[in-house]
Amino acid sequence: MTKMLTAVLMGAGLALTPAAAFADSGDSPVLQRIDERGTVNVGHRETSIPFAYLDDSGTPIGYTIDVCMKIVDAIGEQLGRDDLEVNLVPVTGQTRIALMANGTIDLECGSTTNNLTRQRQVAYLPTTFITGTKIAVAEDNDATSLDEMEGMILGVSSGTTNEKTVKAYIEDKGLDVRIQEFKDHAQAWLAMETQRIDAYASDDVLLFGLISKAK
């Protein structure tokens, strides 16, 4: 069993991050690229429940996956073609922005916070969800906030705003809390279930998603 601790900081909104707005295709190098190759490369997360994750058969599903497919339809209409193929590319918190910036993916469906630093590299659609950084711990852990986690190990996903948030909070408060970074939510959650870390920090909605699938 797991439980949620109090929020550390309210986070910014979650948003899809398309590499180009729906301008005229002649003005958009991304739309030109899609038109030339006939394929939309869609980056997706694999464990960001309920936004983008894999079902039991390994197929990407979720709320932002559905939104992305609507965007692909709109791209096809914009380009005047109905034969666009979709290439689904797995991404992580560390790779998603970089892969979009270098053109590997054309848009990303997952749970990516909209902030000023990322806006220098990618464009965002309107915010789709507001959330905040919270922490999940095992049911038998008596900690009720990050301040009560002295001497414990806190897991975070690399490249996320949650990682920056909790590190800043720990430094500001001078807490004796060790941070351990993981590639994705599933890896961190397994570490907590096997008692290699004491807690995991992420967006509250993602933690509820992980709890819903927990053993």
Side-chain angles (χ1 to χ4, degrees):
M1 295 289 290
T2 55
K3 59 185 179 181
M4 303 284 284
L5 304 190
T6 54
V8 177
L9 270 178
M10 288 307 296
L14 298 176
L16 298 172
T17 52
F22 288 111
D24 176 50
S25 59
D27 298 328
S28 169
V30 177
L31 290 180
Q32 288 179 3
R33 183 174 68 211
I34 292 172
D35 196 16
E36 290 171 0
R37 71 184 176 214
T39 303
V40 184
N41 290 328
V42 177
H44 68 90
R45 302 296 294 274
E46 296 183 305
T47 58
S48 291
I49 304 169
F51 299 105
Y53 59 104
L54 302 180
D55 64 13
D56 293 339
S57 66
T59 302
I61 60 173
Y63 175 70
T64 48
I65 296 288
D66 292 343
V67 175
C68 276
M69 293 305 102
K70 294 293 186 182
I71 294 173
V72 171
D73 291 341
I75 291 173
E77 292 179 9
Q78 182 80 15
L79 297 176
R81 51 189 304 174
D82 57 7
D83 60 343
L84 289 179
E85 296 184 3
V86 177
N87 178 35
L88 295 171
V89 182
V91 298
T92 67
Q94 284 184 304
T95 64
R96 54 190 170 180
I97 302 298
L99 290 178
M100 185 172 302
N102 68 21
T104 300
I105 59 176
D106 302 310
L107 61 112
E108 188 251 339
C109 16
S111 51
T112 299
T113 302
N114 185 346
N115 60 34
L116 293 175
T117 300
R118 290 171 177 165
Q119 286 176 19
R120 297 190 184 102
Q121 295 180 284
V122 299
Y124 281 82
L125 288 182
T127 296
T128 58
F129 201 94
I130 300 293
T131 186
T133 297
K134 287 196 176 183
I135 299 167
V137 298
E139 190 67 32
D140 58 1
N141 189 324
D142 293 330
T144 60
S145 72
L146 184 53
D147 301 83
E148 297 179 6
M149 288 184 58
E150 292 279 344
M152 298 186 188
I153 303 174
L154 175 64
V156 295
S157 287
S158 298
T160 61
T161 52
N162 312 111
E163 175 190 7
K164 294 179 180 179
T165 297
V166 296
K167 283 182 176 179
Y169 188 90
I170 290 169
E171 182 178 357
D172 181 64
K173 296 289 185 177
L175 301 177
D176 178 25
V177 178
R178 200 177 87 188
I179 294 290
Q180 185 167 337
E181 298 177 18
F182 293 90
K183 181 186 73 173
D184 56 29
H185 306 301
Q187 190 181 76
W189 199 255
L190 177 61
M192 191 171 74
E193 288 185 327
T194 55
Q195 300 181 334
R196 288 179 286 130
I197 60 175
D198 299 292
Y200 179 52
S202 187
D203 296 324
D204 58 2
V205 63
L206 296 177
L207 293 178
F208 282 119
L210 290 165
I211 289 171
S212 75
K213 299 289 186 179
K215 297 177 182 177

